[in-house]
């Protein structure tokens, strides 16, 4: 097998797989004959039946990169050659170099070796690549040769960097949309050619009396955030020849001064109030905008009373994190607004901490998410990395990346050291770069090089480079905000709770993350307690961009947006539990039953915003900090709706017992991957239930029900009749992508309008 590619037909709503296999020339007729014989035999199955055609591979079949195939212009490409048992890598490379010389194709003189593969770099256009494909059977796949970040910095002077920017701008189009990312940072240099089209002067603000809105900081932090928030992956766009559309704009509020004096007016203010003031400025300027608020500003941690930050790094709420909870909910102070999506960084593990611990994994474990990253309602972002290749510069200086590809970044932070009652933080991870290690350097053993960082815009472009590099959870937060605004623009009617839910629901753990935490990636050997370390280091994993943006159009995913009134007060009586919601899941029952023991994965994500307790009372108790908590559950196997409601509903259970009709049915937490102890913290809960198709066919009801909180305990605040909005995502999938679960669900319910049946039960 050389490679497998998939294409999705949006009109036919179907996916076609293309498999490229190596077939010796002498065996071609034998293969075709055997395939025809098997098709007509009694052993023929759906796999063979679905094969529509067999053709000789072309460049199109072998091209596996997201970038466009070079046409007439020559570009650097990677040729991945197969090395089989009777071959040696050296012989395969020698034969291929001879072929390149025959067709006058330039190539790099060395190669990279992997198991059963060698990779060679060539400079070629489509015609040249086609000549190679037609004259050798060793090509397994072809990819675009990715240009490393240092190329745009070290190998291009300021004028050349400007030319790169201008070339990209020629391929970009900018929509005049109502979607924006609001950056709360050091300001932004919006004169930068790559920023000016998305950030107007009218959308630049500051909370300081000096009225400075530009990014004059030494680090250029705000402008670096802007570059990634706009383009997500700037180096990929620069290295491409494709056209791109930018469907959002930026807003900027300068809330941070670098090296500010302690006596400065704004720095002695409460930062919850500063954050509120900043958000108010952009909302007054653009009241109708649909926005994501991104803030990669934290106050650091304090493990002792001598540190001025005052935050103990133990997950307890602060005035800043609680203020962000209020701002997310839309009830900060006296305001009553719509909810907001606020994305914040978790803070960074420093190189000094890594060196002191002599192990980056230990350092990340010990470095807790920084204030206000413990906010329940905000989406807190950590860092992972795909940047694990060594450049020529780093190789000469003996620096090697310490984290492997797809693992969590050495610069991220965690909530491993927190008490388990506090939220899972970070919830998701995005690219944050890697760290290089040189064991022989007596002075600088660890370093963050350009090659291991993200390319972005430089605030000093008018007198220096147009580009710079950026890393850590700040860079990851900028990427997260970019994905969030894309989700919001694709599904413009969904609420912030749903955007957050989609990002978490689409997240996945990589095999390398398992290896980093457990030393292996055998998930079957892990118990629920062990999953805690993974959850509190990388959250629910890295969001799958394609799944987050497109799978809700064509996969078996359901999104529910609803609300309940958790409590009620009648007369002078104390508030009591009022209601819960029961949603009937439109399972394709007949399809699932026909699949029998086929494994099926059910995933559920519940997202809501809590109303934080306004004082220190309750902060030591997760049941008293939120006004109300919500949880979800699904009826067990062979548990009908009435028994399910009775189990979930305490008052209904008491009634059933009194009537002599109650039969206890335990909640089988073992069926869930994470279990209630891991997932039922914070204000977003996600879990997976894997079982056979026949077992899941009967489970058709999901409950969203309230738990304890201060709304019903502190009656004098009169919150007992409040309602709480929530978003619920349910997805079902099988390993066999040929099985259509979407159509039968669509036949039972209008998924586009999310018309899920909701029954409110007296509780």
């Amino acid at each position: 097998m050389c490679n497998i590619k998939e294409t999705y037909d949006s009109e036919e709503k179907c996916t076609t797989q293309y498999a490229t296999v190596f077939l010796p020339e002498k065996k071609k007729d034998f293969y075709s004959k055997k395939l025809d014989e098997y098709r007509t035999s009694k052993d023929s199955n759906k796999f063979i039946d679905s094969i529509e055609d067999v053709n000789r591979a072309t460049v199109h079949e072998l091209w596996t990169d997201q970038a466009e195939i070079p046409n007439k212009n020559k570009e650097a490409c990677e040729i991945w050659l197969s090395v089989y048992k009777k071959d040696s890598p050296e012989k395969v490379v020698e034969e291929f170099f001879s072929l390149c010389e025959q067709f006058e194709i330039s190539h790099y003189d060395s190669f990279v070796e992997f198991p059963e593969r060698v990779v060679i770099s060539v400079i070629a256009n489509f015609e040249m690549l086609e000549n190679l494909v037609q004259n050798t059977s060793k090509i397994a796949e072809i990819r675009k040769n990715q240009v490393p970040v240092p190329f745009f910095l070290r190998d291009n002077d300021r004028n050349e960097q400007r030319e790169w920017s201008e070339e990209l701008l020629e391929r970009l189009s900018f929509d005049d949309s109502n979607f924006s990312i609001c950056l709360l940072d050091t300001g932004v240099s919006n004169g930068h050619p790559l920023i000016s089209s998305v950030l107007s002067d009218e959308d630049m603000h500051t909370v300081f009396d000096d009225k400075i809105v530009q990014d004059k900081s030494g680090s250029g932090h705000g402008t670096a955030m802007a570059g990634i928030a706009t383009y997500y992956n700037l180096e990929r766009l620069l290295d491409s020849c494709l056209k791109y559309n930018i469907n959002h704009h930026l807003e900027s509020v300068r809330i941070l001064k670098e090296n500010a004096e302690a006596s400065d007016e704004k720095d002695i203010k409460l930062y919850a109030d500063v954050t509120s003031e900043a958000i108010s400025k952009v909302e007054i300027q653009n009241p109708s905008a649909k926005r994501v608020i991104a803030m990669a500003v934290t106050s650091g941690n304090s493990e002792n009373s001598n540190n001025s930050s005052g935050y103990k790094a133990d997950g307890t709420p602060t005035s800043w994190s609680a203020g962000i909870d209020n701002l997310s909910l839309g009830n900060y102070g006296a305001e009553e607004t719509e909810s907001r999506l606020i994305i914040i960084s978790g803070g960074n593990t420093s190189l000094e901490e890594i060196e002191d611990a002599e192990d980056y994994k230990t350092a990340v474990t010990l470095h807790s998410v920084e204030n206000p990253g413990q906010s329940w309602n905000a989406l807190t972002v950590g860092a992972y990395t795909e940047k694990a290749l060594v450049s020529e510069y780093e190789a000469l200086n003996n620096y090697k990346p310490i984290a492997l590809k797809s693992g969590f970044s050495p610069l991220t932070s965690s909530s491993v050291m927190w008490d388990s009652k506090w939220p899972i933080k970070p919830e998701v991870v995005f690219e944050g770069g890697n760290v290089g290690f040189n064991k022989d350097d007596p002075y600088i053993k660890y370093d963050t090089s350009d090659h291991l960082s993200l390319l972005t815009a430089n605030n000093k472009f008018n007198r220096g480079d147009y580009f710079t590099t950026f890393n850590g959870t700040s860079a990851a937060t900028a990427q997260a905000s970019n994905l969030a605004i894309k989700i919001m623009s694709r599904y413009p009617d969904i609420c912030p709770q749903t955007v957050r839910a989609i990002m978490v629901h689409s997240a996945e753990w990589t095999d390398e993350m398992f290896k980093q935490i457990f030393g292996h990636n055998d998930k079957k050997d892990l118990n629920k307690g062990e999953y805690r370390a993974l959850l509190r280091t990388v959250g629910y994993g890295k969001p799958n961009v394609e799944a987050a943006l497109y799978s809700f159009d064509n996969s078996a995913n359901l999104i529910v947006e609803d609300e309940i009134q958790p409590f009620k007060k009648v007369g002078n009586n104390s508030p009591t539990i009022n209601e819960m919601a029961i949603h009937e899941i439109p399972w394709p029952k007949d399809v699932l039953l026909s699949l029998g023991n086929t494994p099926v994965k059910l995933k559920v994500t519940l997202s809501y915003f809590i109303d934080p307790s306004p004082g220190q009372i309750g902060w030591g108790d997760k049941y008293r900090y939120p006004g109300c908590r919500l949880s979800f559950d699904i009826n067990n196997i062979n548990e009908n709706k009435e028994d399910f409601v009775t189990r979930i509903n305490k008052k209904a259970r008491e009634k059933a017992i009194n009537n002599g009709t109650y039969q206890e049915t335990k909640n089988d937490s073992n069926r869930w991957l994470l279990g209630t102890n891991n997932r039922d913290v914070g204000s977003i809960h996600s879990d997976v239930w894997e079982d056979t198709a026949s077992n899941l066919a009967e489970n058709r009801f999901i409950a969203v029900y309230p738990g304890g909180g201060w709304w019903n305990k502190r009656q004098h605040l009169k919150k007992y009749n409040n309602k709480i909005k929530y978003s619920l995502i349910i997805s079902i999938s099988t390993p066999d992508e040929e099985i259509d679960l979407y159509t039968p669900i669509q036949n039972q319910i209008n998924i586009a309008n999310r018309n899920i049946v909701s029954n409110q039960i007296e509780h």
Side-chain angles (χ1 to χ4, degrees), residues 361-601:
K361 299 174 189 176
T362 301
V364 168
T365 297
L366 295 176
H367 189 105
S368 292
V369 165
E370 299 175 6
N371 184 36
Q374 74 276 29
S375 164
W376 287 42
N377 293 341
L379 182 72
T380 304
V381 181
Y384 96 113
T385 188
E386 296 288 345
K387 295 183 176 295
L389 295 178
V390 182
S391 71
E392 181 180 357
Y393 175 81
E394 277 84 31
L396 290 173
N397 289 276
N398 296 318
Y399 278 97
K400 297 180 179 179
I402 59 176
L404 297 181
K405 184 178 181 180
S406 300
F408 64 80
S409 167
L411 300 171
T412 196
S413 54
S414 72
S415 60
V416 177
M417 305 303 292
W418 292 1
D419 191 292
S420 58
K421 65 187 176 184
W422 299 123
I424 294 166
K425 295 290 177 175
E427 290 98 340
V428 290
V429 291
F430 285 80
E431 179 64 70
N434 209 336
V435 172
F437 173 63
N438 182 355
K439 63 181 179 63
D440 299 321
D441 193 313
Y443 303 107
I444 304 176
K445 291 187 178 297
Y446 296 92
D447 190 27
T448 54
S449 64
D450 291 337
H451 192 79
L452 300 176
S453 301
L454 289 77
L455 190 74
T456 189
N458 189 356
N459 71 323
K460 303 177 182 65
F461 71 94
N462 55 350
R463 61 181 186 278
D465 289 342
Y466 279 76
F467 305 127
T468 187
T469 54
F470 199 44
N471 59 21
T473 59
S474 294
T477 300
Q479 280 201 341
S481 68
N482 181 279
L483 176 58
I485 202 65
K486 286 177 179 175
I487 294 171
M488 198 174 286
S489 62
R490 185 167 184 82
Y491 308 104
D493 295 327
I494 63 176
C495 65
Q497 292 91 327
T498 302
V499 178
R500 181 176 68 152
I502 289 174
M503 294 178 73
V504 168
H505 196 83
S506 71
E508 300 171 340
W509 298 305
T510 65
D511 286 345
E512 181 56 31
M513 291 173 186
F514 278 95
K515 291 178 182 178
Q516 286 174 304
I517 301 294
F518 306 112
H520 60 83
N521 63 349
D522 189 355
K523 307 170 185 63
K524 295 181 180 178
D525 293 337
L526 301 176
N527 59 46
K528 291 176 175 56
E530 290 173 314
Y531 267 101
R532 182 185 185 277
L534 180 70
L535 271 172
R536 292 192 172 273
T537 302
V538 295
Y540 294 97
K542 173 192 176 294
N544 182 318
V545 175
E546 294 297 315
L549 290 176
Y550 305 113
S551 71
F552 295 95
D553 287 340
N554 54 50
S555 296
N557 294 279
L558 304 176
I559 298 179
V560 180
E561 291 184 346
D562 209 339
E563 67 177 15
I564 60 173
Q565 181 182 323
F567 310 110
K568 66 179 179 180
K569 178 177 168 58
V570 179
N572 294 324
N573 296 323
S574 297
T576 58
I577 295 289
N578 178 44
E579 63 186 11
M580 66 180 177
I582 301 290
H583 299 280
E584 184 173 3
I585 308 172
W587 275 169
K589 183 176 179 180
D590 294 340
V591 176
L592 291 174
L593 286 174
S594 69
L595 296 177
N597 291 326
T598 301
V600 173
K601 182 168 75 172

Side-chain angles (χ1 to χ4, degrees), residues 727-747:
S727 296
L728 185 68
I729 300 180
I730 312 159
S731 64
I732 183 171
S733 60
T734 67
D736 187 352
E737 297 183 4
E738 294 295 319
I739 299 173
D740 180 17
L741 297 175
Y742 173 79
T743 302
I745 291 178
Q746 190 179 37
N747 290 338

